[in-house]
Amino acid sequence: MPGYNPSPEQESIYNLIPRYQAPTPKQALYRSKHKGKIDPKQYEMGVKKVQPAATFGHPYGMNSTSPDQFLKSHAQEPLLPEPHKPSTEKMRLKAPVPLNTEVPTMGLHSNKNFVTTNAIQAILSKPKQMPEDFRWTLKPEFGEVPQYLIKNKKQIADEKASVEEHVRLHQQQDHDAHITQMSEGERQQLLHDLKTKWATVNTAYQKLPFSLDTPAKMNRKETFEKQLTEIEKDVQLLEHGSTVLVLQD
């Protein structure tokens, strides 16, 4: 339909057609009014006497290295001194090898009779003095115990005595720590309890029948007699003295 321009709010198929969008005008590129490459010396920054490169550093391009200044091979190796002749020559242990230009002496002869000369030297020579056999029994300290053995034996004995003394003191301390003295009131109370128990066991013992015809009766009688004997011993022990020491487990 020519000239038909529906509004976006109305539902129409013409709204699917993309509409023309006016391009946004591009703003001009920003350029600072200050120069980029300037010398930092121009800015004093409130300092009357400005040191070189004290504020903004070196000027532009001063920090770059020269293309010729690069690390070369073997540049950091230490420089060795020039070799020179040693002050002390090394002693030769063997004779040097003769040169190929040295000609040995040839054709020398001797008229010496070596057999006769050796015989005369053997006759005139003195016999070799053999060393006398040393007799160890003639030494002044022969048969005596060496001093180092005496010292070691004394040291071992001292260490053994020290260990035994330490163990004895430790055992004595443990023994004393587990021993306490019973007070008089506790002794009288224990003595009273033992007598009461003895009376109870004795009463049960007196009620046993005269005829012990079964093993159970015999065992019961022996048990009562054993208990009475032990209680009597304990009563005699408590009545013997007023001081009673108790060993705790």
Side-chain angles (χ1 to χ4, degrees), residues 25-93:
K26 187 176 181 180
Q27 298 181 0
L29 182 64
Y30 171 79
R31 295 184 181 275
S32 177
K33 62 180 180 180
H34 304 285
K35 295 182 179 180
K37 299 179 180 180
I38 59 176
D39 191 356
K41 295 181 181 179
Q42 298 179 5
Y43 298 91
E44 297 182 357
M45 301 294 293
V47 182
K48 295 182 180 180
K49 185 178 180 181
V50 180
Q51 298 293 335
T55 55
F56 288 97
H58 294 284
Y60 180 79
M62 293 294 294
N63 291 328
S64 60
T65 57
S66 176
D68 299 334
Q69 301 295 330
F70 59 90
L71 183 63
K72 300 179 182 180
S73 60
H74 308 286
Q76 295 183 349
E77 292 182 357
L79 297 178
L80 301 178
E82 294 292 334
H84 59 279
K85 187 177 181 180
S87 59
T88 304
E89 295 184 359
K90 185 178 180 181
M91 183 179 61
R92 295 181 178 273
L93 301 179

Side-chain angles (χ1 to χ4, degrees), residues 182-198 231 234-235 238-239 242 244:
M182 183 182 294
S183 62
E184 183 63 22
E186 293 178 352
R187 188 179 72 86
Q188 294 295 337
Q189 182 65 31
L190 181 59
L191 189 60
H192 179 268
D193 295 341
L194 288 175
K195 291 181 178 180
T196 304
K197 185 176 181 180
W198 183 88
I231 294 174
D234 295 339
V235 170
L238 291 175
E239 291 179 346
S242 61
V244 179

Side-chain angles (χ1 to χ4, degrees), residues 150-217:
I150 298 176
K151 181 179 178 182
N152 294 346
K153 188 175 180 180
K154 183 177 181 301
Q155 184 177 1
I156 293 173
D158 295 342
E159 292 179 356
K160 185 177 179 181
S162 177
V163 172
E164 291 178 354
E165 181 67 17
H166 177 74
V167 172
R168 187 185 65 80
L169 292 177
H170 186 69
Q171 292 178 353
Q172 183 67 24
Q173 292 176 0
D174 294 344
H175 186 267
D176 296 343
H178 293 80
I179 295 178
T180 57
Q181 183 177 357
M182 183 182 294
S183 62
E184 183 63 22
E186 293 178 352
R187 188 179 72 86
Q188 294 295 337
Q189 182 65 31
L190 181 59
L191 189 60
H192 179 268
D193 295 341
L194 288 175
K195 291 181 178 180
T196 304
K197 185 176 181 180
W198 183 88
T200 303
V201 176
N202 187 37
T203 302
Y205 177 74
Q206 295 295 333
K207 293 180 179 180
L208 290 175
F210 290 101
S211 60
L212 304 176
D213 52 353
T214 60
K217 294 180 180 180

Side-chain angles (χ1 to χ4, degrees), residues 137-155:
T137 56
L138 298 180
K139 294 185 65 177
E141 62 274 9
F142 178 78
E144 298 180 359
V145 181
Q147 293 295 328
Y148 76 94
L149 290 180
I150 298 176
K151 181 179 178 182
N152 294 346
K153 188 175 180 180
K154 183 177 181 301
Q155 184 177 1

